[in-house]
Amino acid sequence: LLKILEYDLAYGTREIEADDASRISNAYLELFTPDARYFTNGKFRGEGVGWSGMGQVAHATCETGVVVVDSNSISILWCHDED
């Protein structure tokens, strides 16, 4: 979640500061109960560039996200980028 908020998906350049990405990520995750389950189509390696994903939602060149399911809600946070 931190990487898709912090970095451009196509080129791996930083879009927002790590502290801001962490703050946004933490605020998002705090919305869910402790029994939450998390799903993604992405696998991330290292800093910036270095991810792979399967399946498309936005039909963009690069896209990934997180689906969260808990006992009260379902949420999708999805990011995409074009090359």
Side-chain angles (χ1 to χ4, degrees):
L1 183 56
L2 290 172
K3 289 191 183 298
I4 65 174
L5 294 173
E6 185 176 352
Y7 292 98
D8 174 275
L9 295 176
Y11 297 104
T13 55
R14 180 170 276 133
E15 295 286 318
I16 66 173
E17 293 300 319
D19 289 345
D20 292 333
S22 180
R23 184 178 43 78
I24 294 166
S25 176
N26 288 335
Y28 177 70
L29 296 176
E30 287 174 2
L31 298 172
F32 306 102
T33 60
D35 67 332
R37 296 185 62 199
Y38 304 88
F39 305 91
T40 184
N41 72 329
K43 294 182 181 180
F44 297 87
R45 304 174 304 276
E47 294 295 318
V49 174
W51 73 276
S52 62
M54 296 174 44
Q56 289 186 308
V57 173
H59 301 289
T61 304
C62 305
E63 62 178 83
T64 190
V66 173
V67 176
V68 184
V69 179
D70 71 13
S71 57
N72 299 320
S73 59
I74 298 172
S75 176
I76 299 173
L77 189 150
W78 209 255
C79 297
H80 67 88
D81 205 351
E82 292 294 336
D83 183 14

